Amino acid sequence: MNIRLAERMSQVKPSAIRELLMLGADPSIISFGGGYPDASLFPLDRLESVFRTAIAENGSDTLQYTVSSGSPKLREQVAARMTRGGVDCDAENVLILQGAQQGLDLVAKMLVDKGDVIITENPTFLGALIAFNPCEPRYATVRMDEDGMDMDDLERTLARNPGAKLLYTVPDFQNPTGVTLSLERRKRLVELANKFDFVILEDTPYREIRYQGEPLPPIKSFDTQGRVIYLGSFSKILAPSLRLGWAVASEEIIQQLGLLKLAADTQCSTLNMAAVSLFLDTYDIDEHIAALRQTYRRKKDLMLDTIRRAFPQDVAFTEPSGGLFTWLTFPEGFDTTRFMAEHALPEARVAYVPGATFFPLQQEANHARLSYSTQTDEAIVKGITALGRLLTARRSA
Amino acid sequence: MNIRLAERMSQVKPSAIRELLMLGADPSIISFGGGYPDASLFPLDRLESVFRTAIAENGSDTLQYTVSSGSPKLREQVAARMTRGGVDCDAENVLILQGAQQGLDLVAKMLVDKGDVIITENPTFLGALIAFNPCEPRYATVRMDEDGMDMDDLERTLARNPGAKLLYTVPDFQNPTGVTLSLERRKRLVELANKFDFVILEDTPYREIRYQGEPLPPIKSFDTQGRVIYLGSFSKILAPSLRLGWAVASEEIIQQLGLLKLAADTQCSTLNMAAVSLFLDTYDIDEHIAALRQTYRRKKDLMLDTIRRAFPQDVAFTEPSGGLFTWLTFPEGFDTTRFMAEHALPEARVAYVPGATFFPLQQEANHARLSYSTQTDEAIVKGITALGRLLTARRSA
């Protein structure tokens, strides 16, 4: 039969990342593609212990249904942690999510009618576009530099799209560029949101993975009108498999998102919420995060040092203060998708994410996202050196 | 600020069930409301063991991201189980879901444009309406009797709505009525779907909780054109907190649903999928299900026997061959919502789900859904007897 699909499905297509995650599964390829955390850093013993306790001591509750907004205890713990981090809030301001990705889906559903404008950084997180697309938005983009979104360019974008409802940003160690939005621009962004009446969706999966400098206040901390929705995640600081993230927003917004959460999947896993709740009670997660930072910093330094040594001078790269990614910019005319298919994969056995896919409108062909999080030190040196050798050979050819 | 909500939010409202689940949390109330399984039946030791093994022996995989369609091993196990149950399929026909509820959300997204017609049983599962509503469908309903949907009435409904895209049914021990669709009607339903070109969404959360008689073949087993989507769930046969269900459909449909799954929440919990996979490998789930059936059957018999003894003769009730619910029909003019607020709750300290909420179009006030799954034998007798006393007193007043 021919399925009569809904119109929105014309916006729902297989993504480049999906194909790449499949390639990354080939063990003979060194993949800098996926944004996975380093599995050797998962706190296995402690997670085993909290799952055992959650089932053995309270299984008739932790294996049962619970309320759709998430376990009350975990909502309180998240609210307390957020408050310590500069976002004053209560449990009623918190919704537990099936990973922050679910927040992207629910926020778009809540706000975006077909044709409504969503403003994003240029480039932006591909997973966000994938989540937003079923709502059939139009996109408008904002130029970035080493301090994140350019606020003058945002003003121009808003002048062209005065009815824009939603702005999406990853302000800390952005995916894909690794760039962080400056303090001054965070304040300016909230002023513009107040002036032009749009909602800011602040997505912070890498926020706590900072290697240097002091954390900047979340955009949400400057919100006086209840128009910033903050998304956090346990995926990078604990384990992605738990599928737990959270939204912090005004009670009004949390109630709307909670209704959509109930409709979408009833609730998150009671057991996983109970286990994370126990983890936060029993162990010092900040100590765990400090250890993650050390490892990722070492890997980041190793990748960037190897790039400096092995790559031609005309390849630029960002120097992130945290997170999992660096963003390469090749000379104009260089096509990273083609180079990967024709050279990097077959000759160097190395994968990355070609940058084109991260641009909502005009795809730029000469960028690539490299993650240093999942490969061993040896593989980082080997893979980057092999890539550099190919690039140098190509230049002198 | 006033949030400018998307139009679809006019269809997204707090549900009666949500309020009731909150009431059920008051320990002084005997609630026959929620469709929860009996927590005393959760296989705690075995679940503790498989979670321990999944983390201790393979934590760097089971705590990491995996593919969005679900763990390949679990997809294979589900396909093998479905094939044994009469639905011949492979792993490629299976998508692992965050509970069957997510299947309702994704199928509606895949098929339903604003104003498209969804056909449902009358009454139908409230959670399905909640999941479908954000797609802004129109509903058309089909009369039910003790053999499920009336096929003559379905033909009339189709004549009035020839473009209907989707029909939703819970054919086994339906929620809320407890009624099962007969064999003859299952075949006729597929013939009508072929003739009128609609998709059947077959939702089977209670299918394996059968007390008497032989299982009827799934509607999906009569599907020759790839137009039936089968939804299954581990919630009632293992534990709802795991949030694991599955869809079985044509590869084409599974691919579309898989893209929507990726957009909605990336994937299900790798850990929970690994634990269930180990459970299926290590233990005999059919033996576990046989024990569940015995308990639920006893509770069903106890509730119905008590109703027969304690209720006035003019209250009718269904006699389910499985599942968790019986459906009461009071005389015309009786309002179960009002009776619950004014009498059942304050005087008998008993809760149920007033039936009006299960009707997509014309709400009938004189029904109630009672679940016998979560209360102890003592509480079933006490609660039903108290309700019966109130009803009898009201008649003689």
Side-chain angles (χ1 to χ4, degrees):
Chain A
M1 75 173 291
N2 275 321
I3 306 283
R4 290 176 289 158
L5 297 173
E7 275 182 32
R8 70 179 66 81
M9 296 306 288
S10 66
Q11 307 301 313
V12 177
K13 299 287 171 207
S15 81
I17 270 202
R18 205 179 198 212
E19 309 282 307
L20 270 163
L21 292 183
M22 286 174 188
L23 272 179
D26 176 346
S28 79
I29 300 280
I30 297 177
S31 175
F32 302 120
Y36 287 22
D38 181 342
S40 73
L41 300 170
F42 295 147
L44 297 189
D45 292 349
R46 283 168 280 173
L47 284 170
E48 187 195 322
S49 169
V50 292
F51 271 92
R52 189 173 52 229
T53 304
I55 298 175
E57 294 187 3
N58 199 18
S60 60
D61 285 338
T62 59
L63 294 168
Q64 187 58 282
Y65 288 110
T66 185
V67 286
S68 61
S69 46
S71 102
K73 175 84 184 286
L74 185 58
R75 292 174 81 193
E76 276 174 28
Q77 290 168 308
V78 167
R81 193 169 169 80
M82 289 295 301
T83 300
R84 285 197 299 278
V87 177
D88 197 18
C89 65
D90 297 321
E92 288 68 34
N93 301 113
V94 176
L95 178 70
I96 305 297
L97 298 166
Q98 179 76 354
Q101 180 75 20
Q102 186 174 46
L104 306 175
D105 175 59
L106 300 185
V107 169
K109 271 184 185 163
M110 178 177 73
L111 295 176
V112 178
D113 287 312
K114 180 174 179 171
D116 279 348
V117 170
I118 301 178
I119 299 176
T120 74
E121 289 149 344
N122 199 40
T124 187
F125 171 45
L126 176 60
L129 301 178
I130 290 173
F132 300 154
N133 281 345
C135 291
E136 302 173 271
R138 286 180 297 139
Y139 292 104
T141 59
V142 180
R143 208 178 74 77
M144 296 182 79
D145 61 25
E146 65 279 10
D147 287 325
M149 253 186 301
D150 178 330
M151 289 297 128
D152 294 335
D153 196 48
L154 173 57
E155 283 209 69
R156 287 188 292 269
T157 299
L158 287 164
R160 283 192 304 271
N161 299 278
K165 268 186 173 172
L166 178 64
L167 179 142
Y168 172 72
T169 176
V170 180
D172 303 291
F173 327 123
Q174 196 233 17
N175 183 353
T177 62
V179 156
T180 294
L181 189 67
S182 71
L183 178 62
E184 203 47 56
R185 291 186 182 182
R186 288 172 193 238
K187 295 177 184 169
R188 183 92 186 97
L189 176 57
V190 174
E191 287 166 17
L192 287 170
N194 291 342
K195 181 173 167 192
F196 285 88
D197 189 25
F198 59 84
V199 170
I200 298 171
L201 181 53
E202 177 181 25
D203 190 10
T204 69
Y206 320 106
R207 177 170 172 80
E208 304 210 55
I209 314 292
R210 173 178 276 278
Y211 317 134
Q212 57 214 47
E214 285 301 304
L216 294 177
I219 299 167
K220 178 71 183 156
S221 70
F222 301 111
D223 179 21
T224 55
Q225 302 189 350
R227 60 171 70 254
V228 180
I229 303 172
Y230 179 104
L231 296 180
S233 174
F234 287 108
S235 291
K236 307 306 188 283
I237 59 175
L238 207 47
S241 148
L242 304 172
R243 307 306 305 128
L244 289 175
W246 64 88
V248 173
S250 70
E251 278 191 52
E252 181 198 355
I253 287 178
I254 291 297
Q255 280 166 18
Q256 297 289 336
L257 293 176
L259 293 172
L260 289 169
K261 164 77 181 165
L262 179 72
D265 65 4
T266 317
Q267 57 159 94
C268 291
S269 166
T270 322
L271 176 60
N272 295 14
M273 290 191 283
V276 169
S277 197
L278 268 173
F279 191 101
L280 295 173
D281 263 359
T282 314
Y283 305 108
D284 183 349
I285 194 171
D286 292 314
E287 195 176 273
H288 174 64
I289 294 169
L292 302 183
R293 284 185 187 133
Q294 281 199 337
T295 299
Y296 288 131
R297 180 186 187 136
R298 191 191 70 237
K299 290 187 172 196
K300 183 266 293 180
D301 285 342
L302 186 63
M303 180 176 274
L304 297 197
D305 287 347
T306 313
I307 288 177
R308 278 186 201 96
R309 207 172 51 237
F311 274 31
Q313 295 289 327
D314 58 5
V315 183
F317 53 93
T318 57
E319 303 198 36
S321 304
L324 310 183
F325 308 112
T326 183
W327 176 250
L328 307 186
T329 300
F330 294 84
E332 293 272 343
F334 190 96
D335 183 332
T336 57
T337 306
R338 196 170 154 185
F339 181 74
M340 181 156 145
E342 295 180 359
H343 299 287
L345 276 174
E347 296 166 27
R349 312 292 292 160
V350 168
Y352 51 76
V353 188
T357 191
F358 297 102
F359 293 88
L361 299 174
Q362 301 288 346
Q363 303 207 325
E364 298 178 13
N366 61 323
H367 305 276
R369 189 193 78 179
L370 269 64
S371 167
Y372 38 80
S373 55
T374 56
Q375 297 294 341
T376 62
D377 292 8
E378 293 68 30
I380 289 173
V381 172
K382 186 178 167 195
I384 294 294
T385 305
L387 256 189
R389 204 173 292 134
L390 266 187
L391 288 165
T392 306
R394 187 183 159 281
R395 260 171 67 93
S396 37
Chain B
M1 75 173 289
N2 274 322
I3 306 282
R4 291 176 288 159
L5 297 173
E7 275 182 34
R8 70 179 66 83
M9 295 306 287
S10 67
Q11 306 302 313
V12 177
K13 299 287 171 205
S15 80
I17 271 203
R18 208 179 197 208
E19 310 282 307
L20 270 161
L21 292 183
M22 287 174 186
L23 272 178
D26 176 347
S28 80
I29 300 280
I30 298 178
S31 175
F32 302 121
Y36 288 22
D38 181 342
S40 74
L41 300 171
F42 296 148
L44 296 189
D45 292 348
R46 283 168 280 172
L47 284 170
E48 186 194 323
S49 169
V50 292
F51 271 93
R52 187 172 55 230
T53 305
I55 297 174
E57 295 187 1
N58 199 18
S60 60
D61 285 338
T62 60
L63 294 168
Q64 187 57 283
Y65 287 110
T66 184
V67 285
S68 61
S69 45
S71 102
K73 174 82 186 287
L74 185 58
R75 293 174 80 193
E76 275 173 29
Q77 290 168 307
V78 167
R81 195 170 168 77
M82 290 294 301
T83 300
R84 284 196 299 278
V87 177
D88 197 20
C89 65
D90 298 321
E92 288 67 36
N93 300 113
V94 176
L95 177 70
I96 305 297
L97 299 166
Q98 178 77 354
Q101 180 74 22
Q102 184 173 47
L104 306 174
D105 176 60
L106 301 185
V107 168
K109 271 183 183 162
M110 178 177 74
L111 295 176
V112 178
D113 287 311
K114 181 175 179 170
D116 280 349
V117 170
I118 301 178
I119 299 175
T120 74
E121 288 149 344
N122 198 40
T124 187
F125 172 46
L126 176 60
L129 301 178
I130 290 174
F132 300 155
N133 282 345
C135 291
E136 301 173 273
R138 287 179 297 140
Y139 293 104
T141 59
V142 179
R143 209 179 74 77
M144 296 182 80
D145 60 25
E146 65 281 8
D147 287 325
M149 251 186 301
D150 177 331
M151 289 297 127
D152 294 335
D153 196 47
L154 173 57
E155 284 209 67
R156 287 187 292 270
T157 300
L158 286 165
R160 283 193 304 273
N161 300 278
K165 268 185 173 173
L166 177 63
L167 179 143
Y168 171 72
T169 176
V170 180
D172 303 290
F173 328 122
Q174 196 233 16
N175 184 352
T177 63
V179 156
T180 295
L181 189 67
S182 70
L183 178 62
E184 203 46 55
R185 291 186 183 181
R186 289 172 192 237
K187 294 177 186 169
R188 182 92 186 98
L189 176 56
V190 173
E191 287 166 17
L192 287 170
N194 290 342
K195 182 175 167 192
F196 286 89
D197 189 25
F198 58 85
V199 170
I200 298 170
L201 181 53
E202 178 181 25
D203 190 11
T204 70
Y206 319 106
R207 177 171 172 78
E208 304 210 55
I209 313 293
R210 172 178 277 279
Y211 317 134
Q212 57 213 48
E214 286 301 303
L216 295 176
I219 300 167
K220 178 71 183 157
S221 69
F222 302 112
D223 179 21
T224 55
Q225 301 189 350
R227 61 171 71 255
V228 181
I229 303 172
Y230 180 104
L231 295 180
S233 173
F234 288 108
S235 291
K236 306 307 187 284
I237 59 174
L238 208 47
S241 149
L242 304 171
R243 307 306 305 128
L244 289 175
W246 64 89
V248 173
S250 70
E251 279 190 51
E252 181 198 354
I253 288 178
I254 291 298
Q255 280 166 19
Q256 297 288 335
L257 293 176
L259 293 172
L260 289 169
K261 166 77 182 164
L262 179 72
D265 64 3
T266 316
Q267 58 160 96
C268 291
S269 165
T270 322
L271 177 61
N272 295 14
M273 290 190 283
V276 169
S277 197
L278 269 174
F279 191 102
L280 295 173
D281 263 357
T282 314
Y283 305 109
D284 183 348
I285 194 171
D286 292 314
E287 196 176 272
H288 174 64
I289 294 170
L292 302 183
R293 283 185 189 133
Q294 282 200 336
T295 300
Y296 288 132
R297 179 184 189 139
R298 192 192 68 239
K299 290 187 173 196
K300 183 266 292 178
D301 286 342
L302 186 63
M303 179 176 275
L304 297 198
D305 287 347
T306 314
I307 288 176
R308 278 186 201 98
R309 209 173 48 238
F311 274 32
Q313 295 288 327
D314 58 4
V315 183
F317 53 93
T318 58
E319 304 199 36
S321 304
L324 310 183
F325 309 111
T326 183
W327 176 250
L328 306 186
T329 300
F330 295 83
E332 292 274 343
F334 189 97
D335 183 332
T336 57
T337 306
R338 196 168 155 187
F339 181 74
M340 180 157 146
E342 295 180 1
H343 300 286
L345 276 173
E347 295 166 26
R349 312 293 292 159
V350 168
Y352 50 77
V353 188
T357 191
F358 298 102
F359 294 89
L361 298 174
Q362 301 288 344
Q363 303 206 324
E364 299 178 12
N366 61 321
H367 305 276
R369 189 193 77 179
L370 269 65
S371 167
Y372 38 80
S373 56
T374 56
Q375 296 295 341
T376 61
D377 292 7
E378 294 68 31
I380 289 173
V381 173
K382 186 178 166 192
I384 295 295
T385 305
L387 255 189
R389 204 174 292 133
L390 265 187
L391 289 164
T392 307
R394 188 183 158 281
R395 260 170 68 91
S396 37

